Amino acid sequence: GDSVTQMEGPVTLSEEAFLTINCTYTATGYPSLFWYVQYPGEGLQLLLKATKADDKGSNKGFEATYRKETTSFHLEKGSVQVSDSAVYFCALSDAMSEKLVFGKGMKLTVNP
Amino acid sequence: DSGVTQTPKHLITATGQRVTLRCSPRSGDLSVYWYQQSLDQGLQFLIQYYNGEERAKGNILERFSAQQFPDLHSELNLSSLELGDSALYFCASSWDSRSYEQYFGPGTRLTVT
């Protein structure tokens, strides 16, 4: 079945550091790819998405590019802030199954 | 605020008991999804309803059931509770049956003692 593998962490960075969270997927067909973020005590929020190969999703300084050749959707941010401390989930949606499949999530802590 | 509401926020109950979790989707959304988040299993899809009908089923135990009512709110019923059912239960909604963009509620934290 479909699956998502991502860095699990936890990861601690200093403010203004560069962030990369790796995510690779296995799916039949052409899934849509997502990054969700979960701030402490809250539900998941959609951070960004890409629905086809070579699409780049971006939001709040975060970016991820749908790479079909490497089946990857790595999340990057050039300069993290303390407010980015959260758990980040990579996910895919297969149009055939109509459900989201999540990676295990990665906890990020950003220190001042 | 995603527009999805879940009640109650916290629930503490004993093994063997039965509980009902409630979810109201965003205005206009027809699909409701239920997820379980636990430390060992991560975030697991349980079940999806679309406009009152069951649409997709994931790793949902037979002791668990759900339904979506004509006003589109949904309830997740958990029975014969076990210690291992302690988890965060999230509801999400989307406007159609495709899960391109799901909006999550704040979750219900269930503790089984």
Side-chain angles (χ1 to χ4, degrees):
Chain A
D2 297 347
S3 66
V4 174
T5 303
Q6 66 171 108
M7 289 169 60
E8 291 184 30
V11 168
T12 300
L13 296 175
S14 297
E15 209 164 22
E16 298 183 6
F18 183 83
L19 170 71
T20 299
I21 306 176
N22 289 340
C23 170
T24 57
Y25 67 89
T26 302
T28 53
Y30 303 97
S32 296
L33 301 175
F34 307 83
W35 277 100
Y36 277 82
V37 59
Q38 185 179 25
Y39 297 102
E42 297 183 15
L44 279 72
Q45 300 174 24
L46 179 64
L47 181 59
L48 53 83
K49 66 182 180 186
T51 58
K52 61 183 189 296
D54 299 325
D55 267 2
K56 178 187 277 189
S58 60
N59 186 25
K60 298 181 182 179
F62 291 90
E63 290 185 341
T65 301
Y66 189 144
R67 301 284 187 204
K68 185 163 167 281
E69 63 277 11
T70 54
T71 62
S72 66
F73 192 54
H74 304 321
L75 182 69
E76 295 183 337
K77 185 173 186 182
S79 175
V80 293
Q81 306 299 312
V82 172
S83 57
D84 294 326
S85 298
V87 181
Y88 292 82
F89 293 89
C90 184
L92 67 81
S93 170
D94 185 331
M96 297 298 290
S97 63
E98 298 180 345
K99 66 177 184 182
L100 282 172
V101 175
F102 287 90
K104 289 191 180 295
M106 196 209 80
K107 182 175 181 180
L108 170 68
T109 301
V110 180
N111 292 324
Chain B
D1 184 356
S2 66
V4 177
T5 59
Q6 288 187 249
T7 56
K9 197 171 172 114
H10 301 278
L11 201 46
I12 301 174
T13 189
T15 53
Q17 294 299 304
R18 182 180 190 276
V19 297
T20 298
L21 312 184
R22 182 188 168 104
C23 167
S24 293
R26 287 189 324 155
S27 177
D29 284 357
L30 299 177
S31 264
V32 169
Y33 309 80
W34 286 97
Y35 294 88
Q36 181 193 58
Q37 185 180 35
S38 60
L39 279 173
D40 51 345
Q41 298 287 332
L43 199 57
Q44 299 274 319
F45 167 73
L46 295 177
I47 198 164
Q48 177 200 1
Y49 278 82
Y50 174 72
N51 204 19
E53 301 288 327
E54 183 183 303
R55 187 79 175 188
K57 223 166 183 176
N59 302 321
I60 188 165
L61 300 171
E62 282 192 17
R63 300 183 284 109
F64 296 0
S65 65
Q67 55 184 327
Q68 186 179 27
F69 295 86
D71 67 352
L72 300 176
H73 90 271
S74 177
E75 292 180 358
L76 179 67
N77 300 296
L78 315 176
S79 61
S80 302
L81 285 168
E82 302 174 0
L83 295 177
D85 298 326
S86 296
L88 256 175
Y89 290 84
F90 287 108
C91 166
S93 72
S94 64
W95 75 274
D96 68 356
S97 62
R98 306 288 183 184
S99 56
Y100 270 23
E101 197 159 329
Q102 293 183 21
Y103 293 84
F104 281 74
T108 291
R109 182 171 290 283
L110 173 66
T111 303
V112 182
T113 61

